[in-house]
Structures are given as structure tokens and as C-alpha cells.
Amino acid sequence: MADIKALPFSFPLRRESVALIVIDMQRDFAEPGGFGESLGNDVSYVTAIVSDVKRLIEGFRAVGLPVIHTQECHRPDLSDLPPAKRNRGTPTLRIGDVGPMGRILISGEPGTAILPELAPIDGEIVIEKPGKGAFYATPLGETLKARGIEQLVFAGVTTEVCVQTTMREANDRGYECLLVEEATASYFPEFKQAALDMIRAQGGIVGWTAHLDDVLEAID
Ligand code: C5J
């Protein structure tokens, strides 16, 4: 285990306190008929990263490092869905409506599930989150503290929404955060690029970015 080649400078990897966190790799964001497409997005940007996210997850599993998964979703009675979130935009399907993969972004529905290729295995933590950030209204903070995790390697979607929000929340809480470029996607390539640039600007004001092969080599 070595430092990870990263930007704006090497990431000081510590094996005993690092975890991978995979943000919202759900059918609702990746498959036709889901929430992402209902907002007018081209979901092929998300499907394009699945094989790289899988390589990253398998790399962490192979060396016994923890993998955490998040899912953006709400309770079936919508009690954790503010009207301001449900009514946002002009989607063809709103959160809670019935779509081709069940109720959109509702806990336990088929469309809310993590993509089968990336599904959590026994012992991996899964955090259901009602917000864009994974710390808001979830047990993530206590879970990380209980396991002594202080460094988070990020993957998932979408780069400038749930990934960046969670990274910023984590950064403010004192975690060292690194985003893997090939393992994150936006429906807007220019937003992905802007998010990467923002994160590592000003001496890594929100964290680090690195390439997949450099992460896999360092953890091996
Ligand atoms: C969005 C997410 N984009 N996981 N969710 O609504 O980024």
C-alpha cells in the first residue's frame, strides 16, 4: 500500500482508515424508464462507467478494504420527501410516482435498487439517503466513526450532485476525500469536468482526484 498518485498532489493513503463509498449507482439513474431519464437525461453517461466502478469495487474487496454503498430514496409514505424536492422541475415522473420499474426512488422498489453488476455483498454497508448528500438524515457519520474510517474514496453518480455534495459534507467533517475520475459520471460531461476541477483547485479545497489504475495499484 502506497500513496495514491493524485491531483493536486499525492493522496496519503492509510490502509487502516480508508473506505470506498459508491454513490447511488441505482437503476433509477442508469436505466431507461427511471428517474434520471424522466428528467430528460441521457442515461448512457451512467452506464458507460459501470465496468470501471466494478473494477474499483472488486479492487477494494480483493484486498479486504471496506465498501459502502448509498441509495437515494424515500419512505413509501413520502414523509421524508419535502414538497420542494418532489415538485422540482418538470419530470415526466415525480418521486413516488409509479414508473416501469416501480415507484420512482422509493425504498425497496426495483428501480431504486443498485445495478445488479455492482450489488452490495454480505457485510457491506448500504446507506439509504433522502437527500443529495449522504450524511443528511442518515447514520453514515456514526457508522464511519464506529469503524475508524477517516479517508473516503468516492465513485458513483452524479458527479456534481450527489457525489460532490457528499464529498463536501465529508470534507467539512474532517474526512480526506478522493474522487476516482473514471468511476464517476454526470449527465453533463462539462459538469463532471467542472466538478473535478473545483474539487482539486486551491490546493485540494474539497479533496483529491485520481485515475482508477493509480488507485488500484496503490491499494494492492
Ligand atoms: C441526482 C444523484 N442527480 N444521485 N441524484 O438527482 O446525483
Side-chain angles (χ1 to χ4, degrees), residues 23-24 29 35 72 129 132 157-158 161-163 187:
I23 304 289
D24 300 356
F29 294 115
F35 186 56
E72 182 175 349
K129 62 183 187 59
K132 303 305 182 192
V157 295
T158 59
V161 185
C162 291
V163 175
Y187 298 120

Side-chain angles (χ1 to χ4, degrees), residues 40-200:
N41 295 308
D42 175 356
V43 294
S44 70
Y45 289 111
V46 176
T47 49
I49 65 163
V50 171
S51 59
D52 282 337
V53 177
K54 191 170 157 66
R55 279 186 67 211
L56 183 61
I57 291 173
E58 287 174 349
F60 270 69
R61 285 177 183 157
V63 293
L65 293 177
V67 179
I68 299 165
H69 306 258
T70 71
Q71 285 176 279
E72 182 175 349
C73 63
H74 295 273
R75 296 187 195 126
D77 66 2
L78 307 185
S79 58
D80 59 355
L81 175 61
K85 182 174 179 185
R86 179 166 155 80
N87 296 332
R88 191 76 48 83
T90 50
T92 53
L93 288 168
R94 291 184 190 280
I95 296 171
D97 290 349
V98 178
M101 295 188 285
R103 293 182 70 198
I104 297 283
L105 287 191
I106 298 299
S107 179
E109 296 287 331
T112 307
I114 293 171
L115 291 166
E117 307 92 304
L118 307 178
I121 59 172
D122 276 355
E124 291 179 349
I125 295 159
V126 180
I127 300 284
E128 294 195 339
K129 62 183 187 59
K132 303 305 182 192
F135 287 87
Y136 168 69
T138 76
L140 179 60
E142 297 82 49
T143 303
L144 297 177
K145 223 167 249 151
R147 286 166 175 73
I149 294 166
E150 296 171 349
Q151 297 189 320
L152 291 169
V153 173
F154 279 81
V157 295
T158 59
T159 317
E160 78 284 7
V161 185
C162 291
V163 175
Q164 192 180 197
T165 302
T166 303
M167 242 181 127
R168 287 174 181 273
E169 288 181 330
N171 185 56
D172 282 351
R173 286 167 169 78
Y175 296 91
E176 291 173 307
C177 300
L178 177 144
L179 176 57
V180 183
E181 292 201 27
E182 294 82 355
T184 186
S186 168
Y187 298 120
F188 306 91
E190 67 276 24
F191 289 176
K192 170 176 172 175
Q193 189 56 52
L196 291 167
D197 290 341
M198 278 182 228
I199 285 162
R200 62 193 173 208

